[in-house]
Amino acid sequence: MESLVCVAVWAVTLAMVMAFTMWAYRWSHPKANGRLPPGSLGLPLLGETLHFFAPNPTCDVSPFVKERLGRYGNIFKTSIVGRSVVVSADPDLNYYVFQQEGKLFESWYPDTFTEIFGRDNVGSLHGFIYKYLKTLVLRLYGQENLKAVLLSETDRACRASLASWASRPVIELKDAISTMIFDLTAKKLISYEPSKSPDNLRKNFVAFIRGLISFPVDIPGTAYHECMQGRKNAMKVLKKMMQERMADTGRQSEDFFDVLIEEMRREKPVMTEAIALDLMFVLLFASFETTALALTLGVKLLAENPRVLQALTEEHEAIVSNRKDKDAGLTWAEYKSMTFTSQVILEIVRLANIVPGIFRKALQDIEFKGYTIPAGWGVMVCPPAVHLNPEIYEDPLAFNPWRWQDKVEITGGTKHFMAFGGGLRFCVGTDLSKVLMATFIHCLVTKYRWRTVKGGNIVRTPGLSFPDGFHVQLFPKS
């Protein structure tokens, strides 16, 4: 009897091992109607997620991507957080993906990213509803409103913030810039003023950001859990605000949130409560975090490259010297005249690579350069691998704004530059981001000097961060 039990246990164990082996083999050798790109899908379910999130303490392409580019070429397959993905560092494929938005590809992010930003976030919406939301947002962030309203408000915010920082012995620059931009944009979006609100909304977004690009394990103590709690708390504030405004039928329109509520009150509304809340959440996050990171890196790069700083300062001092009133605010004509500043901004965002990957999903089997991208697979366009490619940019890790001299002005994504995305989903906040950066730079270099006190080290996991902060001291110019 005992021997029969042993045989039965052995048979069951063998069957389980064989079943797992077959499942693991099917995982690592997926079927496709053609030739899949080279690469590995890693371990079942886990894939190569741990390698993808490994920290990288440089501005260079992440080791995860760089190693695979050397092994497989500019197009390879992998698996991240349970999804099969084709990673592209190929400029032609990247451009093709952007141009075929809504035809062969659609915007897509792994399920964990969707949980973070909301099921109805603008990145997960397609077709008419996406175009509708984009049109609404451009009423706020488009050039017309930038020129008429936002430029002067940005100029005042930068002047006031820098003056305040100069009165302190030291500031942590990333946090200071984030606060300045958040307060500016939150006021335009939801009339939020921290001194008058019982809710520390920015604190929730800081918690959200810490775990935004982290390994997706939602248990207490992890960065991902902190991220999800930050989102939950921020959404509570926004939902309460929406309910109060919906109940106040006599309220006059004061900000962008009111615009969305007006849309919800239409006879046949396209806007839903879920879409409005997720849109406000994404706009509040995107409006300040990416620009603050880029500006912090920019100030660090300027401090390390005195020749660039000198040329930049000369351009801005010339603008001031041509004013009748030296203390007047920045004008649109002055902003548009900043030729070298524009080159500096392009170089900063090229090196910053704030967005490590832009995701799309194949809507059908797609053949490209001899490879098949199966329907349903994700595609990760990898901007850093293009921006730091020595065959495209000479000495790519060097901070050299002059490389953009005499180049055609970039007004959208190109094969070789996609810091703001590309195609139909080119970032609607691009112009705002450029205005913020140019205005801050103008106020900084014309009125202040600065020295690095400590920090400034960067880490990519794979998003950009300053784990030790970047602490500086500001000195007013005499």
Side-chain angles (χ1 to χ4, degrees):
M1 184 69 179
E2 186 175 335
S3 60
L4 289 175
V5 171
C6 289
V7 169
V9 170
W10 181 85
V12 170
T13 302
L14 180 61
M16 291 175 63
V17 169
M18 291 179 65
F20 177 80
T21 302
M22 292 176 63
W23 175 63
Y25 180 84
R26 285 197 297 269
W27 166 271
S28 59
H29 296 79
K31 293 181 179 180
N33 297 319
R35 178 185 170 216
L36 287 171
S40 169
L41 297 181
L43 298 172
L45 298 181
L46 184 62
E48 297 188 305
T49 306
L50 292 177
H51 295 155
F52 179 75
F53 285 106
N56 170 31
T58 74
C59 271
D60 204 353
V61 180
S62 73
F64 173 86
V65 173
K66 199 167 189 176
E67 290 170 8
R68 286 156 182 77
L69 292 180
R71 194 181 311 165
Y72 306 123
N74 284 344
I75 304 173
F76 63 88
K77 69 176 181 287
T78 184
S79 176
I80 304 170
V81 291
R83 287 299 297 263
S84 300
V85 175
V86 171
V87 178
S88 171
D90 183 283
D92 295 325
L93 178 53
N94 295 343
Y95 190 72
Y96 182 68
V97 168
F98 288 140
Q99 295 307 305
Q100 294 298 315
E101 169 82 28
K103 301 171 186 174
L104 300 180
F105 300 91
E106 69 178 15
S107 178
W108 166 84
Y109 282 86
D111 289 343
T112 50
F113 283 65
T114 305
E115 289 295 329
I116 288 172
F117 284 114
R119 291 286 168 185
D120 292 292
N121 81 82
V122 66
S124 299
L125 301 175
H126 311 285
F128 166 77
I129 185 65
Y130 170 75
K131 293 177 182 177
Y132 162 76
L133 293 179
K134 184 176 180 180
T135 300
L136 286 178
V137 175
L138 282 174
R139 284 165 56 179
L140 177 66
Y141 289 159
Q143 283 210 11
E144 185 176 329
N145 201 42
L146 281 170
K147 184 178 180 179
V149 179
L150 290 178
L151 176 64
S152 60
E153 292 182 350
T154 300
D155 183 61
R156 287 195 296 271
C158 289
R159 288 175 178 235
S161 295
L162 284 162
S164 172
W165 303 344
S167 67
R168 306 179 206 170
V170 65
I171 59 161
E172 198 290 290
L173 192 63
K174 162 61 173 55
D175 184 67
I177 294 176
S178 291
T179 301
M180 178 192 76
I181 300 177
F182 183 83
D183 290 349
L184 174 67
T185 55
K187 187 172 183 179
K188 300 300 295 183
L189 289 167
I190 58 174
S191 298
Y192 177 80
E193 294 189 41
S195 61
K196 298 179 182 179
S197 174
D199 302 300
N200 189 338
L201 189 56
R202 184 175 171 273
K203 180 181 178 182
N204 295 323
F205 277 93
V206 170
F208 170 78
I209 288 159
R210 285 198 191 106
L212 176 60
I213 305 180
S214 60
F215 192 75
V217 177
D218 192 7
I219 57 175
T222 64
Y224 185 78
H225 178 77
E226 187 178 4
C227 171
M228 295 304 294
Q229 289 300 113
R231 170 183 166 79
K232 180 180 177 181
N233 293 332
M235 291 296 280
K236 278 183 182 178
V237 175
L238 292 175
K239 189 163 187 175
K240 179 184 176 184
M241 190 178 294
M242 172 179 280
Q243 290 169 344
E244 290 172 350
R245 295 192 184 192
M246 290 290 287
D248 184 3
T249 55
R251 178 184 170 87
Q252 297 296 309
S253 182
E254 297 178 6
D255 53 36
F256 189 69
F257 211 176
D258 288 326
V259 172
L260 298 189
I261 289 172
E262 286 175 9
E263 293 294 313
M264 290 171 62
R265 287 178 172 150
R266 289 180 178 273
E267 186 176 346
K268 294 182 179 179
V270 175
M271 182 69 63
T272 66
E273 178 180 312
I275 291 174
L277 288 171
D278 279 347
L279 178 61
M280 293 307 305
F281 181 86
V282 169
L283 288 177
L284 282 164
F285 159 73
S287 293
F288 80 98
E289 178 61 13
T290 53
T291 305
L293 281 168
L295 269 175
T296 304
L297 181 63
V299 173
K300 170 181 162 67
L301 292 169
L302 289 173
E304 295 170 349
N305 293 270
R307 179 168 167 255
V308 178
L309 178 58
Q310 178 62 31
L312 192 63
T313 303
E314 288 173 0
E315 177 170 89
H316 286 274
E317 288 180 342
I319 289 173
V320 174
S321 67
N322 287 329
R323 292 176 184 161
K324 291 181 180 179
D325 179 1
K326 306 303 181 187
D327 293 321
L330 191 66
T331 68
W332 188 257
E334 289 171 343
Y335 165 66
K336 296 301 287 185
S337 75
M338 296 176 182
T339 305
F340 187 65
T341 305
S342 177
Q343 295 169 205
V344 168
I345 290 172
L346 288 175
E347 188 70 347
I348 289 171
V349 296
R350 181 188 70 84
L351 285 169
N353 287 305
I354 301 297
V355 179
I358 302 170
F359 290 88
R360 297 290 185 267
K361 181 171 70 175
L363 297 176
Q364 62 187 58
D365 286 356
I366 295 162
E367 300 291 328
F368 195 90
K369 292 189 175 181
Y371 297 127
T372 295
I373 303 174
W377 275 43
V379 177
M380 189 182 94
V381 171
C382 186
V386 175
H387 296 160
L388 302 176
N389 185 339
E391 295 180 6
I392 298 171
Y393 296 98
E394 183 180 353
D395 195 7
L397 292 175
F399 181 53
N400 176 21
W402 288 277
R403 73 170 80 243
W404 300 99
Q405 195 168 10
D406 301 324
K407 297 286 178 67
V408 176
E409 182 182 1
I410 296 176
T411 56
T414 71
K415 286 185 180 181
H416 297 153
F417 185 79
M418 55 197 72
F420 301 103
L424 293 175
R425 290 181 181 265
F426 186 74
C427 178
V428 293
T430 298
D431 288 332
L432 172 64
S433 182
K434 289 179 178 179
V435 164
L436 279 165
M437 293 181 72
T439 307
F440 182 84
I441 288 169
H442 174 75
C443 296
L444 177 65
V445 303
T446 56
K447 293 183 177 296
Y448 300 93
R449 295 177 292 106
W450 71 94
R451 73 177 184 90
T452 301
V453 176
K454 63 178 180 177
N457 299 319
I458 68 168
V459 170
R460 298 177 185 274
T461 56
L464 175 66
S465 65
F466 293 83
D468 305 318
F470 183 42
H471 302 263
V472 302
Q473 184 177 16
L474 291 173
F475 305 93
K477 288 184 176 180
S478 55

